[in-house]
Amino acid sequence: MRKLKIGMAALALALSVYSAEAQQAEHKNPNVRAGEKALMGGDFKTAITHLQKSLPAEAADADVHYLLGYAQFQNGDFKKAAESFTKVVALNPKNTSAYYYKAKANNAVAVNNEEKIDAKQRQALLESAIADYTKAIAMDAQDAKLYQNRGTAYRDLGILRGNSGAGYNKAVAAESYNKAVTDFEKVLTFDASRKDIQTEVKKAKVYRDNLK
């Protein structure tokens, strides 16, 4: 079975949603414990299997849904990850990290050309991602990655609405690019030396200025 390694920072983020009680004691459900162990080892497929087995018994446990969503996200199961994180925020509306991963998962689906969805569905996913990043920012306005990823979602929305076709709308595309620039420039207020973000600002402006 293929195992994937995850960075300690990413894993810490995944586990940071746990309550103090959950961090101090083992979960009573053996499938949850097995899922946690697999996740710690970077074996996301096994983690998914065990965490799914723990449901519906743990359906009211936001932490279990979070870990399942995180494992699904890392395994590339973005649609399922978005569904799991939707359950997390329904149980715990103040979970900033769940909004972040839900948004990233929906954005990933929206820009995947292999997905059998139309332009309206892609737009809805991107707008959902933007809304979730905005909710997360309202709770943690000092997290640069939230602005960066919302900027990416705005950029992707601009690309979608700026392409020729039935969904073309120059005004909407231009507004999306302008909002992307605003978010990327906000990231630079945290760290002005980031060349990748400087490049994103330039690209968004070029895309906007080249709209037909």
Side-chain angles (χ1 to χ4, degrees), residues 31 45-57 64 68 72 77 80 84:
N31 276 307
K45 292 183 71 173
T46 298
I48 291 168
T49 298
H50 285 295
L51 291 166
Q52 285 177 330
K53 286 181 179 178
S54 76
L55 301 171
V64 173
L68 176 58
Q72 290 166 329
D77 302 332
K80 292 180 180 178
S84 293

Side-chain angles (χ1 to χ4, degrees), residues 113-128:
N113 291 328
E114 295 182 2
E115 290 288 344
K116 307 296 184 182
I117 55 177
D118 59 28
K120 286 186 178 180
Q121 291 171 307
R122 295 182 191 279
Q123 178 175 338
L125 287 168
L126 290 170
E127 290 174 343
S128 174

Side-chain angles (χ1 to χ4, degrees), residues 93-133:
K94 295 184 179 181
N95 190 319
T96 307
S97 182
Y99 283 112
Y100 168 75
Y101 278 110
K102 177 173 176 278
K104 280 184 72 71
N106 279 326
N107 200 338
V109 175
V111 300
N112 185 351
N113 291 328
E114 295 182 2
E115 290 288 344
K116 307 296 184 182
I117 55 177
D118 59 28
K120 286 186 178 180
Q121 291 171 307
R122 295 182 191 279
Q123 178 175 338
L125 287 168
L126 290 170
E127 290 174 343
S128 174
I130 289 167
D132 283 334
Y133 286 130

Side-chain angles (χ1 to χ4, degrees), residues 1-18 30-52 54 62-75 81 84-85 88 97 101:
M1 181 178 294
R2 185 168 66 95
K3 293 203 174 186
L4 302 176
K5 292 183 177 180
I6 55 176
M8 291 305 295
L11 185 56
L13 177 61
L15 299 178
S16 65
V17 298
Y18 270 30
N31 276 307
V32 174
R33 295 199 301 271
E36 290 174 332
K37 182 178 180 180
L39 193 152
M40 292 289 287
D43 187 350
F44 300 113
K45 292 183 71 173
T46 298
I48 291 168
T49 298
H50 285 295
L51 291 166
Q52 285 177 330
S54 76
D63 288 343
V64 173
H65 289 294
Y66 183 96
L67 289 182
L68 176 58
Y70 184 82
Q72 290 166 329
F73 182 91
Q74 294 296 338
N75 200 49
S84 293
F85 286 118
V88 176
S97 182
Y101 278 110

Side-chain angles (χ1 to χ4, degrees), residues 81-210:
E83 292 173 0
S84 293
F85 286 118
T86 296
K87 293 175 183 176
V88 176
V89 297
L91 292 165
N92 181 7
K94 295 184 179 181
N95 190 319
T96 307
S97 182
Y99 283 112
Y100 168 75
Y101 278 110
K102 177 173 176 278
K104 280 184 72 71
N106 279 326
N107 200 338
V109 175
V111 300
N112 185 351
N113 291 328
E114 295 182 2
E115 290 288 344
K116 307 296 184 182
I117 55 177
D118 59 28
K120 286 186 178 180
Q121 291 171 307
R122 295 182 191 279
Q123 178 175 338
L125 287 168
L126 290 170
E127 290 174 343
S128 174
I130 289 167
D132 283 334
Y133 286 130
T134 300
K135 290 175 183 176
I137 288 170
M139 291 183 280
D140 186 359
Q142 300 305 309
D143 191 339
K145 74 175 182 297
L146 297 176
Y147 296 98
Q148 178 179 342
N149 283 277
R150 189 176 67 174
T152 298
Y154 274 126
R155 180 205 65 197
D156 292 340
L157 181 58
I159 291 172
L160 180 68
R161 298 306 302 273
N163 284 335
S164 59
Y168 175 77
N169 188 311
K170 182 178 180 179
V172 172
E175 181 183 13
S176 297
Y177 286 131
N178 285 333
K179 289 181 177 179
V181 169
T182 298
D183 274 345
F184 290 139
E185 289 180 339
K186 178 66 175 181
V187 176
L188 292 176
T189 66
F190 292 97
D191 183 356
S193 69
R194 290 192 57 179
K195 301 295 184 183
D196 59 327
I197 301 302
Q198 293 172 19
T199 298
E200 289 296 339
V201 171
K202 293 176 182 177
K203 285 165 58 178
K205 288 180 177 180
V206 169
Y207 293 155
R208 179 198 62 197
D209 296 342
N210 285 339

